[in-house]
Amino acid sequence: GLTAVSPAAEAAALRERLRSVKHTVLVLSGKGGVGKSTFSALLAHGLAADETKQVALLDIDLCGPSIPKMMGLEGEQVHQSGSGWSPVYVEENLGVMSVGFLLSSPDDAVIWRGPKKNGLIKQFLRDVDWGEIDYLIVDTPPGTSDEHLCIVQYLGAAYVDGAVIITTPQEVSLQDVRKEINFCHKVKLPIIGVVENMSGFICPKCKNESQIFPPTTGGAEKMCQNLNVSLLGKVPLDPQIAKSCDNGQSFLSEAPESPATSSYRSIIQRIQEYCDQHHFQEEKII
């Protein structure tokens, strides 16, 4: 049977594993369907464009693991080795771990209660052998559920550089983002900033921009000013993004000229700069 591990021993094993991770970024959203996994996937691709950096993408969206498909890894299985589970690699410097790899088919439903979900998240953090990594991107489920509390508790706010919160311009999405921001404040999770996704649509033919989701309350920009949080950028809707994701390809390299790609690049650069500064602060503390 399973041997009971004391919380202290568990925490120590986790710290040991995470010692080799320089930066951890959580990707959060208040609602589903705002493009959070797409953002996580493209953030991982964008960071991994620098071949000197090792990037890891961990998908803990247990009920809707879309990362395997987006990364072109559907049907892959996780391999166990003496040192734990080995991630599935997209590139030499980009490894992925997802609950999707543990299901026998992409259509399997994950119907689990809290403790089992938390057990799996813990296992992902403790047992995946990432090796030395520069960036760990964690794609979380929408909302502020146990999974979030669980990952924040296991990682300890000390191990997370911060959270990136994804929204769309309409008020119903922003309402949930406000909750997400309050959640971060409560659990002392630093907020790197907010990304407004699906922010306008640029017609590929006439290049005119139209608002598909009108920002009736001023969109993310106004909300960020009111709540004193950084707006990292706005990404316009581009049908090619969904197409690339469905084909498991990186939109950034498939559509280098798209306005959405340049938004993504500047957002990714801001996240990198934030992490670099955060790293120096930590060194001072130690």
Side-chain angles (χ1 to χ4, degrees):
L2 290 171
T3 43
V5 184
S6 77
E10 202 163 56
L14 195 57
R15 263 200 304 278
E16 197 44 58
R17 186 64 96 185
L18 294 170
R19 194 164 282 156
S20 60
V21 178
K22 264 195 198 144
H23 298 293
T24 301
V25 174
L26 301 189
V27 182
L28 308 176
S29 77
K31 279 211 170 331
V34 297
K36 172 185 51 62
S37 296
T38 304
F39 182 83
S40 302
L42 290 179
L43 174 58
H45 276 301
L47 293 169
D50 175 349
E51 284 163 16
T52 65
K53 297 280 187 265
Q54 280 294 329
V55 181
L57 175 56
L58 173 61
D59 173 18
I60 61 162
D61 188 349
L62 303 185
C63 295
S66 35
I67 288 295
K69 185 169 187 60
M70 291 182 178
M71 301 305 276
L73 300 173
E74 251 186 339
E76 292 283 346
Q77 296 292 312
V78 169
H79 301 286
Q80 277 180 311
S81 66
S83 53
W85 287 346
S86 39
V88 180
Y89 285 88
V90 185
E91 313 280 348
E92 269 173 42
N93 67 335
L94 174 53
V96 179
M97 188 48 140
S98 167
V99 70
F101 299 146
L102 306 175
L103 303 175
S104 48
S105 122
D107 299 334
D108 277 2
V110 179
I111 307 173
W112 290 348
R113 291 182 187 275
K116 186 168 178 190
K117 286 183 184 175
N118 293 352
L120 181 69
I121 291 170
K122 207 182 280 189
Q123 207 173 351
F124 270 156
L125 293 175
R126 197 189 52 216
D127 298 343
V128 177
D129 181 19
W130 296 111
E132 292 280 322
I133 52 180
D134 295 289
Y135 294 99
L136 171 61
I137 312 298
V138 185
D139 185 27
T140 65
T144 50
S145 59
D146 318 358
E147 285 96 306
H148 298 90
L149 278 172
C150 160
I151 200 153
V152 173
Q153 279 167 339
Y154 293 152
L155 289 171
Y159 284 102
V160 181
D161 288 60
V164 175
I165 305 174
I166 313 298
T167 185
T168 49
Q170 58 295 39
E171 177 56 33
V172 281
S173 181
L174 295 172
Q175 248 171 4
D176 288 345
V177 172
R178 293 187 191 98
K179 288 182 198 147
E180 208 69 43
I181 290 172
N182 287 334
F183 168 82
C184 291
H185 291 328
K186 275 204 177 97
V187 298
K188 299 191 170 36
L189 178 61
I191 298 169
I192 300 176
V194 172
V195 171
E196 185 174 83
N197 232 343
M198 310 184 197
S199 175
F201 170 69
I202 297 165
C203 170
K205 288 208 171 59
C206 71
K207 303 287 180 266
N208 274 343
E209 187 172 347
S210 44
Q211 298 294 336
I212 305 253
F213 298 117
T216 49
T217 53
E221 199 157 355
K222 187 143 178 271
M223 179 196 69
C224 286
Q225 285 167 358
N226 294 345
L227 297 176
N228 199 14
V229 177
S230 311
L231 177 66
L232 293 173
K234 302 176 175 191
V235 181
L237 265 170
D238 183 329
Q240 178 68 43
I241 298 179
K243 204 165 139 191
S244 297
C245 284
D246 284 350
N247 295 332
Q249 242 105 43
S250 164
F251 165 77
L252 303 177
S253 49
E254 298 272 298
E257 301 304 309
S258 162
T261 297
S262 50
S263 305
Y264 259 108
R265 293 210 185 282
S266 76
I267 291 167
I268 291 166
Q269 195 182 339
R270 290 188 63 180
I271 294 170
Q272 268 171 312
E273 284 164 6
Y274 174 97
C275 287
D276 291 342
Q277 283 173 325
H278 197 252
H279 198 55
F280 294 129
Q281 284 168 345
E282 259 171 62
E283 279 170 6
K284 277 184 221 142
I285 298 165
I286 301 161

